[in-house]
Every structure is written in C-alpha cells, then in structure tokens.
C-alpha cells in the first residue's frame, strides 16, 4: 500500500442529495493533504467517512490499511479528529479534559507537553469558556492528539478565526506536520490550502476536479505575473516594446496593467518608466493563485459562502 489513506470511487447519497459522486485519491505518509472547495462541495462528508463517523453509500476506503466499514473501532483509535469545542464538558479545566480524553483510550495525557505544543502552557487550570476563539481551536487540536494518533483530521480548522489567530493556527499545523504527523484537512480558504498543503484536491459539487501541489496547479493555468500601477498622465504604450517579456498591456488611464512572463523583468519595467520620466504610484505585483485554477476548472469565480 502506498497511501496512508486510500479512497476509491467514494459515493455518499443522502436522501435527496448525492453529496459525494465517486471520488478517488490517496494521502501519502507525512504530507498535509487538503480538500479545498466551496460550501456544499462534499468535503465534510468525505472526511467524516474517512474518520469512521459515517458509512459511504459505495466505494472503498482504507485508512492506515484499515477498512473504514469493518475495522472502524481500530481506525478510530489510530487517528486524531478535531472535536467541536461546544461539545466540551463544563467545569473541567483544560488539564482535566485532556486527562478525560486520554482515559477514553486507556492512556494518560502528557498535559504539559500537549498544552505546550499548542501554545497554552499557562492555561492548564483554565476552562474552555475562558479561552479566545483561536485558543479554543488550538485546544481542540491538543485534545485530538492525546492518544498519539498517526493521522490528524481537521475540518475547517480556521473558520471563524480572526487573521492573527488563523496565522497562529497555520503555524501550529505546520509544526505538528514537521514532527512527522500526516494531516488531512478541509478548507474553503484558497490561501490556507496554498500555504499549508503539500497537495490539494479541488472539490466542487461532489467531485474532485484536480489533485496536485498548489504551485503546480497554479503553474498549469498561468505562467504570467501581473504588474499594475497608476500613472499621472496618459502614456505611449509603445515604450513597452523594449521589454519582450511583456506579453499583454491593458492601459485604461490612469491604470496600467502589464503581464510579464518573467519575474526577473520587474526591475526592468521600473527602470523603463523612470527612463521615460513617467510618474507612477500604487505599483503592485500579482501572481496567479488557486482562485485562477478554480476559475479555469469550473468556469466560475470562487466564492467562499
Ligand atoms: P462541505 O463540507 O464541502 O461544505 P458537505 O459534505 O457538508 O459539504 O455537504 C455536501 C452536500 O451534502 C450539501 O449539499 C449538504 O447540504 C448535503 N448534506 C450534508 N450532510 C447531510 C445530511 N446529514 N443529510 C442530508 N444532506 C446532507
């Protein structure tokens, strides 16, 4: 078996909805693998089947070589699943909660180590209700790790977090992965998938459209970089012919957008503008992103909600 998770032709039909329409993929040991797609794409359903929380309608799932339908209990013991914070018992401290979760697996929790890992070392005696959103979310990760699992599953780990808490969570996931943990997550944030995942499966309406490293997906749809800036006076576009790497020019005074095929030419563009005494401002560079990939695959713009 090459994949730590192997999924073949997975289908899940709810009463009136075919939520997952025959997806196949594998997750490799040690990677961060992401299911990326808008709400309703079928990400959570797929994840919950892999976690042994619900059965599929058809198709085959092996997690750590275990069949999700037959060896469900063994599977659950060997994976970590991020729980929703609303499910925590009241009046127990974080340390006590970790002990409780560990005892469910017949283990003792290393409270200090787990809380230290998620940046909550000084919160051992605090209760979940006293934590910020970001802290709560990080605690859910500590609680998913009490039994030393081999794969960590995260369903939308940063939804609802403010930008700083989101970046902290990204760093935490990277740290955990750097220690050798395989991570499978779902997200509807393009940026998150691009930053965190070694490989991404782009999901839309129950199907996986493409699986690859984010950079390769992006390179496939666009190999140009956009430069845009504003000018004080209309300019003669002919000056740009001096740089053959400029393949497209959109000039709609006062805005100018250039597409270049080589990032190395950015300074040449700036020099050219200065040589022609052109005053410019708001100079920005934009490389293609997963949003362009999604647009290319589905023909529609990516919308989070
Ligand atoms: P995502 O995680 O990508 O937002 P979901 O897997 O939650 O997508 O949902 C996929 C589709 O399945 C949606 O149309 C959703 O309404 C439907 N769905 C999810 N769970 C259930 C359920 N328990 N019963 C009926 N339909 C469901």
């Amino acid at each position: 078996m090459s994949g730590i998770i192997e999924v073949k032709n997975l289908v899940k039909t709810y009463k009136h909805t075919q939520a997952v329409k025959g997806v196949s993929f594998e997750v490799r040991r040690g990677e961060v693998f992401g299911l990326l797609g808008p709400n309703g794409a079928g990400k959570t359903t797929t994840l919950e089947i892999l976690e042994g929380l619900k059965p599929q309608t058809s198709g085959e799932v092996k997690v750590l070589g275990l069949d999700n339908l037959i060896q469900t209990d063994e599977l659950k013991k060997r994976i970590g699943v991020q729980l929703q914070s609303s499910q925590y018992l009241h009046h127990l401290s974080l340390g006590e909660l970790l002990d409780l979760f560990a005892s469910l697996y017949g283990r003792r929790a290393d409270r200090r180590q787990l809380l230290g890992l998620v940046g909550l070392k000084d919160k051992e005696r605090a209760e979940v209700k006293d934590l910020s959103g970001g802290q709560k979310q990080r605690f859910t990760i500590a609680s998913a790790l009490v039994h030393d699992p081999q794969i960590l599953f995260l369903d939308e780990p940063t939804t609802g977090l403010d930008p700083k808490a989101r970046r902290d969570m990204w760093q935490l996931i990277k740290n955990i992965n750097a220690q050798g943990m395989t991570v499978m997550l779902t997200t509807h944030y393009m940026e998150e998938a691009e930053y965190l995942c070694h490989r991404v499966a782009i999901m839309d309406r129950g199907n996986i459209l493409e699986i690859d490293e984010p950079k390769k997906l992006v390179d496939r749809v666009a190999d140009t970089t956009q430069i845009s800036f504003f000018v004080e006076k209309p300019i003669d576009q002919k000056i740009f012919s001096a740089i053959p790497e400029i393949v497209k020019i959109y000039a709609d005074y006062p805005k100018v957008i250039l597409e270049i095929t080589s990032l190395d030419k950015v300074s040449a563009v700036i020099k050219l503008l200065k040589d022609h005494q052109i005053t410019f401002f708001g100079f920005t560079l934009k490389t293609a992103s997963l949003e362009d990939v999604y647009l290319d695959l589905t023909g529609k713009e990516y919308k989070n909600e």
Side-chain angles (χ1 to χ4, degrees), residues 114-128:
L114 285 167
L115 291 173
L117 175 71
V118 301
L120 296 173
K121 207 162 43 190
D122 54 344
K123 298 284 180 192
E124 193 174 331
R125 287 163 204 273
E127 290 183 26
V128 172

Side-chain angles (χ1 to χ4, degrees), residues 17-300:
T17 321
Q18 196 171 24
V20 181
K21 299 177 181 165
V23 303
S24 301
F25 59 92
E26 62 172 50
V27 176
R28 301 171 189 156
R29 192 176 291 276
E31 74 177 341
V32 179
F33 184 89
L35 290 180
L36 168 70
N39 284 338
K43 306 180 297 292
T44 300
T45 301
T46 303
L47 206 70
E48 288 179 349
I49 294 169
L50 269 49
E51 293 165 348
L53 297 178
K54 43 175 80 148
Q56 61 269 41
T57 308
S58 64
E60 213 181 295
V61 172
K62 287 260 171 71
V63 177
L64 295 159
L66 302 167
D67 187 298
N68 71 318
L69 297 176
I70 301 166
Q71 296 158 294
T72 321
D73 291 343
E74 180 60 22
L75 185 161
K76 284 184 184 168
K77 278 186 214 153
R78 294 174 58 186
I79 62 167
V81 175
Q82 177 196 29
L83 298 169
Q84 298 300 317
S85 53
S86 55
Q87 293 169 346
Y88 292 129
L89 292 170
H90 297 299
H91 310 304
L92 289 184
S93 69
L94 302 194
E96 288 164 341
L97 281 170
L98 291 179
D99 285 344
L100 175 66
F101 294 135
S103 71
L104 299 177
Y105 295 96
R107 289 174 174 249
R108 282 175 65 89
D110 188 342
R111 293 177 171 198
R112 291 264 156 95
Q113 189 268 335
L114 285 167
L115 291 173
L117 175 71
V118 301
L120 296 173
K121 207 162 43 190
D122 54 344
K123 298 284 180 192
E124 193 174 331
R125 287 163 204 273
E127 290 183 26
V128 172
K129 68 174 169 49
D130 303 321
L131 302 180
S132 70
Q135 289 172 330
K136 263 184 211 156
Q137 203 74 327
R138 296 207 303 277
F139 180 66
T140 65
I141 294 202
S143 60
L145 295 174
V146 285
H147 56 301
D148 205 12
Q150 293 178 48
I151 307 174
L152 179 61
F153 287 93
L154 305 170
D155 196 3
E156 304 267 354
T158 67
T159 294
L161 298 186
D162 62 55
K164 162 85 170 68
R166 172 166 300 145
R167 283 195 299 276
D168 289 347
M169 182 60 96
W170 287 356
Q171 197 51 53
L172 172 59
I173 295 169
K174 275 204 182 269
N175 291 346
I176 292 171
N177 174 248
Q179 294 176 14
M181 177 74 72
T182 306
V183 179
M184 172 153 186
L185 58 85
T186 69
T187 182
H188 62 261
Y189 296 115
M190 294 275 177
E191 219 193 357
E192 182 160 294
E194 213 161 336
Y195 179 72
L196 273 184
C197 299
H198 295 106
R199 289 189 310 133
V200 171
I202 298 185
M203 264 193 110
D204 191 53
R205 297 179 201 183
N207 293 303
I208 288 181
L209 306 178
E210 204 65 74
I211 305 176
D212 213 333
E213 294 165 31
K215 184 171 179 330
K216 287 195 181 153
L217 288 170
V218 170
D219 283 351
R220 240 185 273 168
V221 292
D223 51 7
T224 57
T225 300
Q226 264 190 14
I227 297 178
S228 61
F229 52 89
F230 295 94
V231 285
E232 274 193 347
K233 286 184 236 148
I235 56 169
D236 181 1
Q237 291 187 25
K238 286 200 205 95
I239 63 163
F240 295 118
S241 62
I243 302 175
E245 287 81 2
I246 298 176
V247 289
K248 272 191 194 153
I249 304 165
Y250 310 88
D252 187 8
Y253 176 78
K255 186 154 192 180
V256 179
I257 302 176
L258 307 174
E259 271 191 27
I260 53 168
T261 52
S262 166
L263 261 180
D264 296 342
K265 292 294 161 186
V266 174
S267 53
V269 170
I270 294 173
K271 182 166 183 308
L272 186 77
L273 295 172
K274 288 195 173 152
D275 288 350
H276 287 82
Q277 276 107 44
I278 294 168
T279 309
F280 59 94
F281 52 97
F283 193 93
T284 52
L285 280 183
K286 185 182 166 289
T287 50
S289 71
L290 282 178
E291 284 183 40
D292 302 289
V293 176
Y294 185 83
L295 177 70
D296 187 61
L297 290 172
T298 64
K300 58 186 186 200

